[in-house]
Amino acid sequence: MTVDQIKNAVTNAAVADRAPAVVACWSCHGPLSVGVAFCPTCAAVQPPGAVDPFTRLGLPMTFDVDLVALDRVYFDWQRKLHPDRFAGRTGREKMLSQQQAVSLNEAYETIKNPLKRADCLVHLLGVDVAPEGCNLVNDPHILMETMEVREALSEAGDVAAVDAIAAKAKAETQDVLTGLSKAFAGGDIEGACSLSTRLKYLMKLKDEIRARRAQLAQG
């Protein structure tokens, strides 16, 4: 099987996995797709069901997310699921509305965060994602670079030196985000996995830079 055939296979599998299953509404027993918040027949709130974050929010499965549209969709759902709207409903409906709200929050946080979004997409496209990243253990370049940057950060004697490291990390982060966009758009899952590992390293470095700044500020 060629590389292109493998890419097509995982993409088709991901699309097939996204096709929502049909279940019965708990209230009117009418048909509905798993993951929908409200029954299209009787409007009763439904259990969240097991669907991916993109399906949950009704957004296309892509790394290049329109963050303005994401906020608009999310806050629209938040209004529809606000507890005040269920004040006079049954206990079951109140419980389901809360479960829907929690699931929407999780989907929103996953899609909004570029690292979580990349990990989610790699997982949806058929690659298991280890907690520490796709290839972190097998990437000696990143391990060596991590040690060198941490050493430079610990030796930074003033805020200006820390700022120089931060500026370099910020530029690298933007390059990685651009690379992830191209990798996902081109079906390069291995490349996306490698870049998501590098993004995880840069996110950790950002926290360490913030901590070093605070340390220097305290004298």
Side-chain angles (χ1 to χ4, degrees), residues 3 9 14 17 33 91 129 148 212 217:
V3 173
D17 288 344
S33 299
V129 181
E148 291 175 353
R212 182 59 177 156

Side-chain angles (χ1 to χ4, degrees), residues 67-208:
L67 295 179
V68 174
L70 171 64
D71 281 350
R72 184 171 58 250
V73 169
Y74 171 69
F75 289 114
D76 182 52
W77 277 115
Q78 285 293 74
R79 283 192 293 274
K80 292 176 180 176
L81 293 166
H82 194 278
D84 289 349
R85 291 180 178 269
F86 296 86
R89 303 292 183 87
T90 65
R92 182 172 186 173
E93 288 175 293
K94 290 178 182 177
M95 177 190 70
L96 291 176
S97 68
Q98 291 171 356
Q99 291 177 353
Q100 281 283 1
V102 170
S103 296
L104 283 167
N105 287 341
E106 292 173 350
Y108 175 73
E109 294 299 330
T110 296
I111 296 176
K112 188 168 187 177
N113 182 301
L115 178 56
K116 292 181 179 179
R117 184 164 71 244
D119 275 354
C120 175
L121 284 170
V122 169
H123 177 74
L124 289 173
L125 292 171
V127 178
D128 290 333
V129 181
E132 66 274 20
C134 295
N135 300 313
L136 184 58
V137 176
N138 298 322
D139 196 333
H141 176 72
I142 290 182
L143 292 174
M144 180 62 70
E145 185 177 341
T146 299
M147 289 190 291
E148 291 175 353
V149 173
R150 282 178 176 166
E151 182 178 354
L153 198 57
S154 66
E155 292 176 351
D158 53 38
V159 173
V162 174
D163 286 347
I165 296 173
K168 183 179 179 181
K170 184 177 180 180
E172 288 186 17
T173 299
Q174 187 55 53
D175 289 344
V176 169
L177 293 175
T178 300
L180 279 167
S181 173
K182 293 179 179 177
F184 281 119
D188 180 7
I189 307 306
E190 184 177 351
C193 196
S194 177
L195 287 168
S196 70
T197 299
R198 183 159 187 79
L199 183 58
K200 184 164 292 184
Y201 149 70
L202 288 168
M203 293 295 103
K204 288 182 179 177
L205 176 58
K206 186 178 180 181
D207 292 338
E208 292 173 11

Side-chain angles (χ1 to χ4, degrees), residues 20-24 31-34:
V22 176
V23 296
L32 52 83
S33 299
V34 171

